[in-house]
Amino acid sequence: MQSADASVAALCNFLAGKNIPFTQHEVLAPYTSFRLGGNADVFITPQNADQLALVQAWLRENPIAVFLLGGGSNLLISDSGFRGAVIHPAFGEEAQILHQSADRLAVFVPASARAPLTGKKISALGFTGLEFLTTIPGQFGGSIIQNAGCYGHELKDSLVDVRVVRGGNVVTVGNADCAFEYRDSAFKRDTAQWVAGATLELAAGDSKLIEAYIADYKARRIASQPKNRRSAGSIFKNPKGAASEKKAWQLIESAGLRGVKDGGAEISAEHCNFIVNNGDATAAQVYRLIQLAEKRVFETSGVKLEREVVLVGF
């Protein structure tokens, strides 16, 4: 087996030979909403699904760790970074309209498109169903993997199929085979499937009502979440079923953790299910607060919190 350094060198040679853009020792903090995280050995930015498939096929045959990075809005990367290859698809922002009529829109959205901008653009065409997406941070690919949702809506409700890279090939997976659940999907559970984009189908709506929904969701988001703070959104999922009648933030508040700090990291006083970087936090400090919340909530309520944020390099 070749050494880690030799594997990285071999990967760089492969990428250069295929004209797939990459850099070495790229600092990852700027690619996350926490603005935290060390560097990656190799940082790859495929320009399309075919390049992504080539990278995956090579990595399947070679011993190097890999992580697929989207918008970084639901992510905590360790201070030591990631030893291996980080793949950050760069497929652009533009959605491809497949069909548009007076009452229906079918559109393909690339994984690298920003989720809130996608929601705004499609809503502006007069089609309803993605108003909630205007409040979801990060990239569209992450929204698919997480089955993003809020205010009674989820992305799966409008999704027809997903373009996926698996086994070194580009394939299409229908909605029913994506195993969507609350903040979950087959792609989250099986990291060997890399999301490249998805086709959505939406019905025509009343433009004034669509605008009203977007304004309402934005106002509710501003009122309930930390303002102008670096965070990764909700740290924990809300408990399901009979596990608890309280939401995650209520359990954390009941455990006496509102506003608790560890260095530059803070369990938000505005919303207890958010941990914020006050400007000089480290990923280690954020991680300790995550562990503290899990421990104290279990001690005070018996509920085991399930993480929504993804941890990398810990």
Side-chain angles (χ1 to χ4, degrees):
M1 182 180 292
Q2 60 184 346
S3 69
D5 288 344
S7 295
V8 167
L11 174 59
C12 292
N13 287 335
F14 166 78
L15 296 169
K18 295 294 183 180
N19 294 315
I20 299 173
F22 73 96
T23 57
Q24 291 185 261
H25 311 300
E26 184 86 12
V27 177
L28 299 174
Y31 298 95
T32 76
S33 55
F34 259 135
R35 294 297 186 266
L36 297 173
N39 63 5
D41 291 337
V42 185
F43 187 75
I44 310 168
T45 51
Q47 303 298 294
N48 51 58
D50 290 335
Q51 286 191 351
L52 186 63
L54 286 172
V55 173
Q56 187 185 73
W58 189 92
L59 290 169
R60 282 166 55 86
E61 302 297 327
N62 294 273
I64 186 169
V66 61
F67 178 72
L68 197 66
L69 172 65
S73 62
N74 193 43
L75 191 66
L76 178 64
I77 298 176
S78 77
D79 299 309
S80 58
F82 186 78
R83 301 285 64 79
V86 171
I87 301 172
H88 184 56
F91 302 163
E93 293 275 4
E94 293 306 313
Q96 177 187 0
I97 294 177
L98 306 176
H99 171 84
Q100 183 174 354
S101 64
D103 58 0
R104 174 179 164 270
L105 175 72
V107 58
F108 177 82
V109 182
S112 57
R114 285 171 287 176
L117 183 59
T118 295
K120 290 176 183 176
K121 286 181 175 179
I122 292 177
S123 296
L125 295 174
F127 294 88
T128 186
L130 292 186
E131 294 91 341
F132 78 94
L133 198 64
T134 63
T135 69
I136 302 294
Q139 293 184 342
F140 187 68
S143 297
I144 298 168
I145 294 167
Q146 288 285 116
N147 184 27
C150 56
Y151 310 125
H153 302 278
E154 291 181 310
L155 189 58
K156 70 176 180 63
D157 300 332
S158 302
L159 194 145
V160 177
D161 55 45
V162 180
R163 185 176 298 171
V164 175
V165 173
R166 67 184 182 200
N169 298 298
V170 182
V171 300
T172 300
V173 180
N175 186 310
D177 295 319
C178 296
F180 287 118
E181 295 181 13
Y182 171 65
R183 302 298 177 272
D184 202 1
S185 71
F187 316 115
K188 188 173 183 179
R189 297 189 290 273
D190 180 6
T191 56
Q193 299 192 79
W194 299 353
V195 171
T199 299
L200 305 173
E201 189 169 295
L202 304 144
D206 181 277
S207 294
K208 290 185 178 180
L209 193 57
I210 290 171
E211 291 175 3
Y213 279 136
I214 291 174
D216 177 54
Y217 295 160
K218 180 179 179 181
R220 289 161 68 177
R221 181 74 64 168
I222 290 172
S224 65
Q225 296 188 1
K227 303 167 187 63
N228 302 317
R229 302 284 196 92
R230 297 169 178 173
S231 78
S234 295
I235 297 294
F236 301 103
K237 298 179 182 180
N238 288 321
K240 293 187 289 187
S244 173
E245 294 181 356
K246 293 183 177 180
K247 295 184 177 181
W249 74 265
Q250 293 171 314
L251 291 166
I252 297 168
E253 181 178 54
S254 297
L257 296 177
R258 180 181 289 273
V260 169
K261 297 180 180 179
D262 185 330
E266 174 192 338
I267 294 178
S268 173
E270 296 174 90
H271 192 308
C272 295
N273 198 17
F274 281 60
I275 294 176
V276 296
N277 173 7
N278 285 323
D280 58 351
T282 65
Q285 291 167 350
V286 174
Y287 185 43
R288 287 198 294 266
L289 287 180
I290 291 173
Q291 293 176 305
L292 176 64
E294 291 169 338
K295 179 175 181 290
R296 292 279 290 274
V297 165
F298 184 70
E299 290 173 346
T300 56
S301 70
V303 175
K304 290 186 177 181
L305 291 173
E306 184 179 354
R307 295 172 188 167
E308 185 167 333
V309 67
V310 175
L311 273 60
V312 175
F314 287 88

